[in-house]
Amino acid sequence: ASLSCDSMEYPDGSTTRAPDGSPLPFGPVLYACNKYFAQECKGASDSYWQCKKENGDPRACLKPGENVVACFNSVIKRIDAACPQHLTAYAKCLDGNKNEFEKCRKEQKALEDCSPP
Amino acid sequence: NYSPSIHQSELLVFISNMFGVLSSLIVTRPNVNSVQDMPPPGGYPDVATARGARNRGPSGAVIWLGILGLTFGGLYILGNTAKRNRLNIKERREARMAIAPYLQAEMDAERAVEFNASLAREAKIMANNPDWVVGQSVYSNNKL
C-alpha cells in the first residue's frame, strides 16, 4: 500500500496516523498538543535546554533528549487514548490552515473540552 | 335703362349680409377655431417660495455625532484587533517554544549518528598516521 504524504490519507482511511494505528507525531499533531507538552513535559524540556546551554556538542545531550521524546510520545498517546477523533480533527484542520490557531478555534475548543490541559 | 333704384335681388343679398353682420355683433359663440398655448389640465404645481422648505441636509449636531462615532468606533475596533493579534502572536510563540525540544532532540540524534559515522570514516582514512587524533577540534573554543 502506498502512502500519500500530501493528502495525509492512509489506506485504512484515517489521517494523522501511522499504518499501525499509532498517532504520527508530525507538525500539526505537535501544534495541537502544545499546551499539554508545556504543562506535562516542563521538567524534561528545562533539563534538556540546560544541557544544550552548557554543551555545544549535540552528542552530549542525547540522554535528556531521549527523556523529552519519551515524555512527548507519552502525552500524545494519552491524548489519543482519551479523544482520538478530536485530536485527529484538530490536527487535520491545522494541517489545512498552515498551523494557524485562529482558523481552528472550534476543533481546539472540542479537544480542550474533551481533555482539559 | 339705368334705374337708380335697388333691384329686388340686390336688396335680398344686402339684407342677408346685414343679417350676418348684425348677428355676429349680437350673438356670442365660443371660438373653436383658434389654438393657444394653455396650461396643462389641473394647472401647474405650487412654486416653492417658502424660505425653510428647502432640505439643507443633516444638522451640525448630527454631523458631529457621526464624525465622533466613526472616530471612536474605529479606534475601538483598532484596539481590539491589536489585542487579538498580540494574543495570537503570543500563542504561536508559546506553541513553538513548547515543541522545540522535541524537534531539536530528534535532530540531535540524527546528527550524532552522522557525526559518529564521519569519525569512523576519518579513523579509517588516517589509520596510518600515528600523530592524528580522530575527532580533534580544529577550533580553540571548547564549545565546538
Side-chain angles (χ1 to χ4, degrees), chain A residues 25 48 52 59 72 102 105, chain B residues 88 91 98 102 104 108 115:
Chain A
Y48 178 72
K52 287 294 272 185
R59 292 175 295 171
F72 274 52
E102 193 65 23
R105 289 290 177 206
Chain B
N88 286 348
E91 190 181 11
Y102 185 86
Q104 188 67 59
D108 276 356
F115 194 64

Side-chain angles (χ1 to χ4, degrees), chain B residues 2 8 10 15 21 24-25 29 31 43 48 58 69 71 73-74 90 97 120:
Chain B
Y2 302 103
Q8 193 176 14
E10 287 175 352
I15 285 170
V21 168
S24 68
L25 287 174
R29 297 189 190 89
N31 188 354
T71 303
K90 182 164 181 260
M97 284 202 297

Side-chain angles (χ1 to χ4, degrees), chain A residues 63-103:
Chain A
K63 188 70 176 52
E66 276 177 20
N67 288 346
V68 164
V69 170
C71 181
F72 274 52
N73 283 335
S74 75
V75 168
I76 293 175
K77 210 169 205 172
R78 178 179 78 76
I79 304 290
D80 185 52
C83 347
Q85 294 94 1
H86 296 121
L87 175 64
T88 306
Y90 191 26
K92 203 170 172 187
C93 177
L94 286 176
D95 196 26
N97 285 308
K98 303 186 295 188
N99 293 337
E100 283 177 22
F101 293 111
E102 193 65 23
K103 298 270 174 66

